[in-house]
Amino acid sequence: MKEFFGFGGYTRPAEGFLSWQHLLFVGSLLIVMALLAIWLGKNRKHRTDREKNRVLIAAALLIDGFELMKIIVLCLRSESTEPILRNLPLFLCSIQLIAIPMAAFTKGRVREASLDFVCIFGILGAVFGTIGAGQNYNAYPVLSMDNVVSGITHCISGFASLYIMIAGMAGLKKENIGFTFGILVVSCVAAYIANITIPYNYMFLMAGDGTPYDILYNLVNGNKVFYPLLVVALFLIYIVLFYRAARFVSRKKQRAEETVK
């Protein structure tokens, strides 16, 4: 247990990014994530909104519970409170620590926008935060607290996203796109301020750090202005494309139903 939680440092070497150990572990997590989301989503698709929401409440409690446990262990491990500053919910994936509870516990337009946000970015975060997490898997052994908890929390985000889609909870209405933009832009501004003051690399706005963001970073030669603007612009473009794709699928489905009638 001491070795798993990293007290005194890990004695095992990191197996490395895209090693078979890394891919086997995250692949297993993603399969479990998808199967659970499909099973629960289909099982509750025609139930009341309250019954559907119970799954989201469980996801909200689990994702925040695991993250809190990780921060406590990191503080004990370093014998300081510094890890708190480096684990603020200011990564694209960790915004879900706030967005999933908002989707589960709020009402009205705020809930609709939160459901949309989780739906749009949950799967993306799950894939990038597991398969694409080169900074973690090059630094820590695969079966360590740092990687296991990170894998679980990212997959809870992906689970919530898939579940919301399959259970039919996301409206993805055009009028909610401004709220979704707002959640992202406020988070990016807060992340950039934190990056300058701590300093750190929240939202990967300062550098790619061995993740796929390195492609963008190298594209603009690490320009301190264009790189973060390009990252944020891609997030916003992704939101628009997701909404458009959802509307296209919805219209196709509606036409198919009208044809059958």
Side-chain angles (χ1 to χ4, degrees), residues 1-15 77 139-144 146:
M1 294 300 289
K2 180 180 177 182
E3 173 65 17
F4 175 79
F5 286 106
F7 288 104
Y10 294 111
T11 60
R12 294 167 294 146
E15 291 86 351
R77 210 164 70 181
Y140 312 113
V142 169
L143 295 181
S144 63
D146 295 78

PDB file of all heavy atoms in Angstrom, residues 1-15 77 139-144 146:
ATOM      1  N   MET A   1       0.830  -1.206   0.000  1.00  0.00           N
ATOM      2  CA  MET A   1       0.000   0.000   0.000  1.00  0.00           C
ATOM      3  C   MET A   1       0.870   1.264   0.000  1.00  0.00           C
ATOM      4  O   MET A   1       0.549   2.252  -0.648  1.00  0.00           O
ATOM      5  CB  MET A   1      -0.923   0.004   1.229  1.00  0.00           C
ATOM      6  CG  MET A   1      -1.978  -1.100   1.216  1.00  0.00           C
ATOM      7  SD  MET A   1      -3.081  -0.994  -0.220  1.00  0.00           S
ATOM      8  CE  MET A   1      -4.016   0.462   0.216  1.00  0.00           C
ATOM      9  N   LYS A   2       1.993   1.195   0.721  1.00  0.00           N
ATOM     10  CA  LYS A   2       2.912   2.333   0.754  1.00  0.00           C
ATOM     11  C   LYS A   2       3.455   2.608  -0.639  1.00  0.00           C
ATOM     12  O   LYS A   2       3.571   3.762  -1.071  1.00  0.00           O
ATOM     13  CB  LYS A   2       4.055   2.034   1.726  1.00  0.00           C
ATOM     14  CG  LYS A   2       5.073   3.157   1.838  1.00  0.00           C
ATOM     15  CD  LYS A   2       6.181   2.780   2.810  1.00  0.00           C
ATOM     16  CE  LYS A   2       7.245   3.864   2.871  1.00  0.00           C
ATOM     17  NZ  LYS A   2       8.363   3.509   3.776  1.00  0.00           N
ATOM     18  N   GLU A   3       3.757   1.532  -1.363  1.00  0.00           N
ATOM     19  CA  GLU A   3       4.275   1.674  -2.719  1.00  0.00           C
ATOM     20  C   GLU A   3       3.191   2.185  -3.670  1.00  0.00           C
ATOM     21  O   GLU A   3       3.453   3.019  -4.537  1.00  0.00           O
ATOM     22  CB  GLU A   3       4.810   0.324  -3.209  1.00  0.00           C
ATOM     23  CG  GLU A   3       5.239   0.281  -4.668  1.00  0.00           C
ATOM     24  CD  GLU A   3       6.424   1.168  -5.005  1.00  0.00           C
ATOM     25  OE1 GLU A   3       7.146   1.584  -4.070  1.00  0.00           O
ATOM     26  OE2 GLU A   3       6.624   1.463  -6.188  1.00  0.00           O
ATOM     27  N   PHE A   4       1.957   1.708  -3.499  1.00  0.00           N
ATOM     28  CA  PHE A   4       0.864   2.134  -4.376  1.00  0.00           C
ATOM     29  C   PHE A   4       0.602   3.629  -4.218  1.00  0.00           C
ATOM     30  O   PHE A   4       0.378   4.337  -5.205  1.00  0.00           O
ATOM     31  CB  PHE A   4      -0.410   1.344  -4.073  1.00  0.00           C
ATOM     32  CG  PHE A   4      -1.610   1.820  -4.851  1.00  0.00           C
ATOM     33  CD1 PHE A   4      -1.794   1.454  -6.177  1.00  0.00           C
ATOM     34  CD2 PHE A   4      -2.555   2.656  -4.258  1.00  0.00           C
ATOM     35  CE1 PHE A   4      -2.896   1.901  -6.900  1.00  0.00           C
ATOM     36  CE2 PHE A   4      -3.660   3.112  -4.973  1.00  0.00           C
ATOM     37  CZ  PHE A   4      -3.825   2.728  -6.297  1.00  0.00           C
ATOM     38  N   PHE A   5       0.597   4.110  -2.975  1.00  0.00           N
ATOM     39  CA  PHE A   5       0.301   5.521  -2.727  1.00  0.00           C
ATOM     40  C   PHE A   5       1.527   6.417  -2.891  1.00  0.00           C
ATOM     41  O   PHE A   5       1.414   7.641  -2.832  1.00  0.00           O
ATOM     42  CB  PHE A   5      -0.301   5.699  -1.335  1.00  0.00           C
ATOM     43  CG  PHE A   5      -1.732   5.224  -1.243  1.00  0.00           C
ATOM     44  CD1 PHE A   5      -2.044   4.053  -0.586  1.00  0.00           C
ATOM     45  CD2 PHE A   5      -2.757   5.945  -1.832  1.00  0.00           C
ATOM     46  CE1 PHE A   5      -3.362   3.612  -0.501  1.00  0.00           C
ATOM     47  CE2 PHE A   5      -4.078   5.522  -1.763  1.00  0.00           C
ATOM     48  CZ  PHE A   5      -4.375   4.348  -1.098  1.00  0.00           C
ATOM     49  N   GLY A   6       2.712   5.839  -3.079  1.00  0.00           N
ATOM     50  CA  GLY A   6       3.906   6.621  -3.387  1.00  0.00           C
ATOM     51  C   GLY A   6       4.563   7.299  -2.207  1.00  0.00           C
ATOM     52  O   GLY A   6       5.328   8.258  -2.382  1.00  0.00           O
ATOM     53  N   PHE A   7       4.291   6.818  -0.989  1.00  0.00           N
ATOM     54  CA  PHE A   7       4.958   7.406   0.171  1.00  0.00           C
ATOM     55  C   PHE A   7       6.435   7.035   0.152  1.00  0.00           C
ATOM     56  O   PHE A   7       6.795   5.871   0.075  1.00  0.00           O
ATOM     57  CB  PHE A   7       4.311   6.913   1.467  1.00  0.00           C
ATOM     58  CG  PHE A   7       2.951   7.502   1.715  1.00  0.00           C
ATOM     59  CD1 PHE A   7       1.803   6.752   1.498  1.00  0.00           C
ATOM     60  CD2 PHE A   7       2.811   8.817   2.136  1.00  0.00           C
ATOM     61  CE1 PHE A   7       0.544   7.293   1.717  1.00  0.00           C
ATOM     62  CE2 PHE A   7       1.554   9.369   2.360  1.00  0.00           C
ATOM     63  CZ  PHE A   7       0.419   8.606   2.142  1.00  0.00           C
ATOM     64  N   GLY A   8       7.291   8.059   0.204  1.00  0.00           N
ATOM     65  CA  GLY A   8       8.727   7.818   0.099  1.00  0.00           C
ATOM     66  C   GLY A   8       9.209   7.719  -1.330  1.00  0.00           C
ATOM     67  O   GLY A   8      10.387   7.480  -1.584  1.00  0.00           O
ATOM     68  N   GLY A   9       8.312   7.923  -2.281  1.00  0.00           N
ATOM     69  CA  GLY A   9       8.677   7.841  -3.703  1.00  0.00           C
ATOM     70  C   GLY A   9       8.464   6.440  -4.249  1.00  0.00           C
ATOM     71  O   GLY A   9       8.559   5.452  -3.516  1.00  0.00           O
ATOM     72  N   TYR A  10       8.174   6.347  -5.531  1.00  0.00           N
ATOM     73  CA  TYR A  10       7.975   5.045  -6.163  1.00  0.00           C
ATOM     74  C   TYR A  10       9.312   4.375  -6.439  1.00  0.00           C
ATOM     75  O   TYR A  10      10.239   5.000  -6.952  1.00  0.00           O
ATOM     76  CB  TYR A  10       7.204   5.202  -7.479  1.00  0.00           C
ATOM     77  CG  TYR A  10       5.778   5.681  -7.301  1.00  0.00           C
ATOM     78  CD1 TYR A  10       5.391   6.942  -7.722  1.00  0.00           C
ATOM     79  CD2 TYR A  10       4.828   4.859  -6.707  1.00  0.00           C
ATOM     80  CE1 TYR A  10       4.078   7.385  -7.560  1.00  0.00           C
ATOM     81  CE2 TYR A  10       3.522   5.289  -6.534  1.00  0.00           C
ATOM     82  CZ  TYR A  10       3.155   6.548  -6.958  1.00  0.00           C
ATOM     83  OH  TYR A  10       1.870   6.979  -6.782  1.00  0.00           O
ATOM     84  N   THR A  11       9.427   3.104  -6.055  1.00  0.00           N
ATOM     85  CA  THR A  11      10.661   2.355  -6.340  1.00  0.00           C
ATOM     86  C   THR A  11      10.594   1.712  -7.725  1.00  0.00           C
ATOM     87  O   THR A  11      11.619   1.393  -8.308  1.00  0.00           O
ATOM     88  CB  THR A  11      10.880   1.252  -5.284  1.00  0.00           C
ATOM     89  OG1 THR A  11       9.762   0.346  -5.293  1.00  0.00           O
ATOM     90  CG2 THR A  11      11.026   1.858  -3.895  1.00  0.00           C
ATOM     91  N   ARG A  12       9.385   1.514  -8.233  1.00  0.00           N
ATOM     92  CA  ARG A  12       9.232   0.921  -9.569  1.00  0.00           C
ATOM     93  C   ARG A  12       9.418   2.001 -10.636  1.00  0.00           C
ATOM     94  O   ARG A  12       8.966   3.129 -10.468  1.00  0.00           O
ATOM     95  CB  ARG A  12       7.836   0.304  -9.729  1.00  0.00           C
ATOM     96  CG  ARG A  12       7.563  -0.894  -8.850  1.00  0.00           C
ATOM     97  CD  ARG A  12       6.073  -1.212  -8.853  1.00  0.00           C
ATOM     98  NE  ARG A  12       5.294  -0.145  -8.232  1.00  0.00           N
ATOM     99  CZ  ARG A  12       4.071   0.202  -8.614  1.00  0.00           C
ATOM    100  NH1 ARG A  12       3.497  -0.417  -9.626  1.00  0.00           N
ATOM    101  NH2 ARG A  12       3.424   1.173  -7.992  1.00  0.00           N
ATOM    102  N   PRO A  13      10.050   1.661 -11.748  1.00  0.00           N
ATOM    103  CA  PRO A  13      10.176   2.645 -12.836  1.00  0.00           C
ATOM    104  C   PRO A  13       8.857   2.789 -13.571  1.00  0.00           C
ATOM    105  O   PRO A  13       8.026   1.871 -13.583  1.00  0.00           O
ATOM    106  CB  PRO A  13      11.236   2.023 -13.749  1.00  0.00           C
ATOM    107  CG  PRO A  13      11.109   0.541 -13.525  1.00  0.00           C
ATOM    108  CD  PRO A  13      10.741   0.389 -12.076  1.00  0.00           C
ATOM    109  N   ALA A  14       8.642   3.944 -14.183  1.00  0.00           N
ATOM    110  CA  ALA A  14       7.447   4.154 -14.998  1.00  0.00           C
ATOM    111  C   ALA A  14       7.556   3.333 -16.276  1.00  0.00           C
ATOM    112  O   ALA A  14       8.600   3.334 -16.934  1.00  0.00           O
ATOM    113  CB  ALA A  14       7.310   5.633 -15.334  1.00  0.00           C
ATOM    114  N   GLU A  15       6.495   2.603 -16.593  1.00  0.00           N
ATOM    115  CA  GLU A  15       6.526   1.763 -17.802  1.00  0.00           C
ATOM    116  C   GLU A  15       6.547   2.593 -19.078  1.00  0.00           C
ATOM    117  O   GLU A  15       7.024   2.127 -20.113  1.00  0.00           O
ATOM    118  CB  GLU A  15       5.298   0.831 -17.833  1.00  0.00           C
ATOM    119  CG  GLU A  15       5.308  -0.251 -16.770  1.00  0.00           C
ATOM    120  CD  GLU A  15       4.717   0.210 -15.446  1.00  0.00           C
ATOM    121  OE1 GLU A  15       4.456   1.430 -15.298  1.00  0.00           O
ATOM    122  OE2 GLU A  15       4.527  -0.641 -14.568  1.00  0.00           O
ATOM    123  N   ARG A  77       1.798  13.116   1.429  1.00  0.00           N
ATOM    124  CA  ARG A  77       3.034  12.631   0.809  1.00  0.00           C
ATOM    125  C   ARG A  77       4.097  13.729   0.765  1.00  0.00           C
ATOM    126  O   ARG A  77       5.282  13.477   0.949  1.00  0.00           O
ATOM    127  CB  ARG A  77       2.720  12.146  -0.609  1.00  0.00           C
ATOM    128  CG  ARG A  77       3.613  11.031  -1.098  1.00  0.00           C
ATOM    129  CD  ARG A  77       3.013  10.348  -2.296  1.00  0.00           C
ATOM    130  NE  ARG A  77       3.011  11.154  -3.500  1.00  0.00           N
ATOM    131  CZ  ARG A  77       2.515  10.745  -4.668  1.00  0.00           C
ATOM    132  NH1 ARG A  77       1.956   9.548  -4.747  1.00  0.00           N
ATOM    133  NH2 ARG A  77       2.553  11.516  -5.718  1.00  0.00           N
ATOM    134  N   ALA A 139       5.868   9.576 -16.002  1.00  0.00           N
ATOM    135  CA  ALA A 139       6.382   9.979 -14.684  1.00  0.00           C
ATOM    136  C   ALA A 139       6.132   8.948 -13.594  1.00  0.00           C
ATOM    137  O   ALA A 139       6.948   8.805 -12.676  1.00  0.00           O
ATOM    138  CB  ALA A 139       5.759  11.316 -14.280  1.00  0.00           C
ATOM    139  N   TYR A 140       4.998   8.224 -13.651  1.00  0.00           N
ATOM    140  CA  TYR A 140       4.623   7.307 -12.572  1.00  0.00           C
ATOM    141  C   TYR A 140       4.352   5.911 -13.127  1.00  0.00           C
ATOM    142  O   TYR A 140       3.944   5.767 -14.281  1.00  0.00           O
ATOM    143  CB  TYR A 140       3.348   7.797 -11.867  1.00  0.00           C
ATOM    144  CG  TYR A 140       3.359   9.253 -11.494  1.00  0.00           C
ATOM    145  CD1 TYR A 140       2.486  10.157 -12.104  1.00  0.00           C
ATOM    146  CD2 TYR A 140       4.239   9.745 -10.520  1.00  0.00           C
ATOM    147  CE1 TYR A 140       2.484  11.497 -11.767  1.00  0.00           C
ATOM    148  CE2 TYR A 140       4.245  11.089 -10.179  1.00  0.00           C
ATOM    149  CZ  TYR A 140       3.365  11.953 -10.805  1.00  0.00           C
ATOM    150  OH  TYR A 140       3.376  13.280 -10.474  1.00  0.00           O
ATOM    151  N   PRO A 141       4.528   4.877 -12.288  1.00  0.00           N
ATOM    152  CA  PRO A 141       4.146   3.521 -12.718  1.00  0.00           C
ATOM    153  C   PRO A 141       2.656   3.474 -13.044  1.00  0.00           C
ATOM    154  O   PRO A 141       1.863   4.244 -12.485  1.00  0.00           O
ATOM    155  CB  PRO A 141       4.466   2.651 -11.493  1.00  0.00           C
ATOM    156  CG  PRO A 141       5.434   3.449 -10.687  1.00  0.00           C
ATOM    157  CD  PRO A 141       5.110   4.887 -10.924  1.00  0.00           C
ATOM    158  N   VAL A 142       2.278   2.580 -13.929  1.00  0.00           N
ATOM    159  CA  VAL A 142       0.873   2.488 -14.330  1.00  0.00           C
ATOM    160  C   VAL A 142      -0.019   2.217 -13.124  1.00  0.00           C
ATOM    161  O   VAL A 142      -1.008   2.917 -12.898  1.00  0.00           O
ATOM    162  CB  VAL A 142       0.693   1.387 -15.401  1.00  0.00           C
ATOM    163  CG1 VAL A 142      -0.786   1.102 -15.636  1.00  0.00           C
ATOM    164  CG2 VAL A 142       1.356   1.816 -16.701  1.00  0.00           C
ATOM    165  N   LEU A 143       0.324   1.192 -12.327  1.00  0.00           N
ATOM    166  CA  LEU A 143      -0.485   0.853 -11.153  1.00  0.00           C
ATOM    167  C   LEU A 143       0.020   1.613  -9.932  1.00  0.00           C
ATOM    168  O   LEU A 143       0.644   1.056  -9.026  1.00  0.00           O
ATOM    169  CB  LEU A 143      -0.480  -0.659 -10.910  1.00  0.00           C
ATOM    170  CG  LEU A 143      -1.148  -1.490 -12.010  1.00  0.00           C
ATOM    171  CD1 LEU A 143      -1.100  -2.970 -11.658  1.00  0.00           C
ATOM    172  CD2 LEU A 143      -2.579  -1.039 -12.244  1.00  0.00           C
ATOM    173  N   SER A 144      -0.243   2.913  -9.960  1.00  0.00           N
ATOM    174  CA  SER A 144       0.094   3.795  -8.844  1.00  0.00           C
ATOM    175  C   SER A 144      -1.103   4.680  -8.577  1.00  0.00           C
ATOM    176  O   SER A 144      -1.973   4.851  -9.442  1.00  0.00           O
ATOM    177  CB  SER A 144       1.309   4.658  -9.195  1.00  0.00           C
ATOM    178  OG  SER A 144       1.006   5.516 -10.290  1.00  0.00           O
ATOM    179  N   ASP A 146      -1.351   7.846  -8.457  1.00  0.00           N
ATOM    180  CA  ASP A 146      -1.429   8.988  -9.364  1.00  0.00           C
ATOM    181  C   ASP A 146      -2.156   8.628 -10.662  1.00  0.00           C
ATOM    182  O   ASP A 146      -3.014   9.385 -11.136  1.00  0.00           O
ATOM    183  CB  ASP A 146      -0.017   9.490  -9.688  1.00  0.00           C
ATOM    184  CG  ASP A 146       0.685  10.028  -8.461  1.00  0.00           C
ATOM    185  OD1 ASP A 146       1.179   9.219  -7.649  1.00  0.00           O
ATOM    186  OD2 ASP A 146       0.726  11.252  -8.282  1.00  0.00           O
TER     187      ASP A 146
END
